[in-house]
Amino acid sequence: MSHRTLQTIIPSHPSSDGDGVKIRRIALFDTPVADPFLMLDELGSDNPDDYIGGFPPHPHRGMETLTYLRFGALEHRDHLGNRGEIRSGGAQWMSAGKGIIHSEMPSREMSRLHGFQLWINLPAKHKMDAPKYRDVPANEITEYTLNTGINAKAIAGNWQLNGQELQGPLQDLAAQARYLDLYLPAGSEVTIPIDTGHNALAYVYEGQLETSPAAPEKSLLVFNQTGDTLLLQAKSDTQLLLLTGKAIEEPIAHYGPFVMNTREEIEQAIQDYNNGLFGN
């Protein structure tokens, strides 16, 4: 058993999207060591003015989104007739495939919003598949607390933490992607197996891990591919998202909400959307 080492630290940056929603963003389109992950946004505020505008109808093609809420509520609607709401602790998964137009709007009843949206690349052979959508309420997400106080919520994929196996409800993400929300008390540590050929990333949204060099809060830690386990040690009480996925290793062309392999495919996506052909 050998542990993977820290390769890169990528800080998040304040930004906005949708109708003025304030976020912290990490763009990974040009970061091969993060393949198959394209972007991670953190939404977090107790001021409704920062998020109440939400994300009005907009298109996607060629990628998947996975939205996970720790607090608050979001309603999804799309042009295919899908409609659903997730509340604190729940998740929404959408594979845009050949094209979907959707909106994500926060509930006006909630006075706080904290969550994350992850973009996952689709391999070329699946970019023009039919769109898919699934709501995952909080009570379907597997949660386990170890005797050391470590708490894990398995949202996607199968995990093993210090020998304890967890299975998330989402099992069909692109590139065998897995997603875990993990709490580590100060001074605790956890060992997690990582598959060969899969990249491993940790977004620390509260606290700090023992790393060299030190990684500030709200940073993405990218580990190298040498080794079959991750050893995570908490310097302080720490909350993080752990992501793993198989590298797709294909060229990426992106423009706004479209992620394809060539510039010509991006131009076709724009033309199809403008001509009302999405989802047909």
Side-chain angles (χ1 to χ4, degrees):
M1 182 174 67
S2 59
H3 300 312
R4 296 192 180 197
T5 58
L6 180 61
Q7 179 175 348
T8 306
I9 300 172
I10 305 175
S12 63
H13 298 285
S15 185
S16 65
D17 207 337
D19 187 11
V21 178
K22 292 184 179 180
I23 59 176
R24 295 193 69 91
R25 170 163 290 174
I26 299 176
L28 301 166
F29 299 98
D30 302 314
T31 311
V33 293
D35 186 3
F37 303 109
L38 300 167
M39 189 167 71
L40 179 65
D41 287 345
E42 179 178 8
L43 305 79
S45 178
D46 55 7
N47 179 0
D49 291 341
D50 291 341
Y51 59 80
I52 203 63
F55 303 91
H58 58 280
H60 286 291
R61 173 178 280 183
M63 37 71 75
E64 296 184 346
T65 65
L66 178 53
T67 305
Y68 166 57
L69 282 186
R70 296 188 70 243
F71 301 103
L74 282 175
E75 181 186 59
H76 166 105
R77 295 190 186 191
D78 63 47
H79 81 288
L80 299 176
N82 295 310
R83 178 177 177 179
E85 183 181 65
I86 54 168
R87 290 182 169 262
S88 302
Q92 286 176 338
W93 168 76
M94 183 186 75
S95 183
K98 62 183 179 180
I100 196 165
I101 302 168
H102 79 141
S103 63
E104 299 156 294
M105 302 301 292
S107 170
R108 293 184 176 273
E109 301 170 1
M110 296 294 209
S111 60
R112 181 184 181 191
L113 184 69
H114 185 215
F116 308 88
Q117 185 169 95
L118 176 69
W119 286 22
I120 307 166
N121 198 13
L122 279 168
K125 64 182 180 180
H126 292 307
K127 283 188 179 292
M128 297 300 287
D129 286 357
K132 300 175 185 177
Y133 169 81
R134 180 180 171 185
D135 277 328
V136 183
N139 61 8
E140 291 185 14
I141 290 176
T142 305
E143 182 173 3
Y144 186 79
T145 301
L146 283 70
N147 56 15
T148 56
I150 293 172
N151 178 268
K153 298 181 179 72
I155 296 150
N158 299 329
W159 296 87
Q160 190 179 94
L161 285 75
N162 290 353
Q164 173 65 41
E165 295 186 359
L166 301 174
Q167 184 176 46
L170 292 168
Q171 292 286 323
D172 298 318
L173 271 59
Q176 300 172 39
R178 302 187 299 164
Y179 191 119
L180 188 76
D181 185 13
L182 188 61
Y183 167 72
L184 301 175
S188 66
E189 65 178 44
V190 63
T191 300
I192 302 171
I194 306 295
D195 293 337
T196 301
H198 288 225
N199 286 321
L201 299 76
Y203 179 66
V204 180
Y205 59 92
E206 289 182 19
Q208 190 175 38
L209 294 176
E210 293 279 4
T211 59
S212 181
E217 195 173 81
K218 309 292 187 185
S219 292
L220 184 72
L221 284 59
V222 182
F223 299 88
N224 67 14
Q225 279 197 351
T226 304
D228 52 13
T229 60
L230 273 184
L231 174 63
L232 302 178
Q233 299 170 302
K235 187 174 183 178
S236 60
D237 288 354
T238 300
Q239 296 255 189
L240 62 94
L241 302 180
L242 187 58
L243 313 171
T244 74
K246 186 175 182 179
I248 296 174
E249 298 181 340
E250 292 177 352
I252 293 174
H254 66 95
Y255 178 78
F258 307 134
V259 184
M260 303 301 290
N261 297 102
T262 68
R263 179 53 53 183
E264 291 75 18
E265 290 171 335
I266 291 293
E267 293 171 355
Q268 186 65 54
I270 296 170
Q271 181 178 332
D272 289 349
Y273 173 63
N274 288 337
N275 289 337
L277 299 178
F278 264 31
N280 297 332

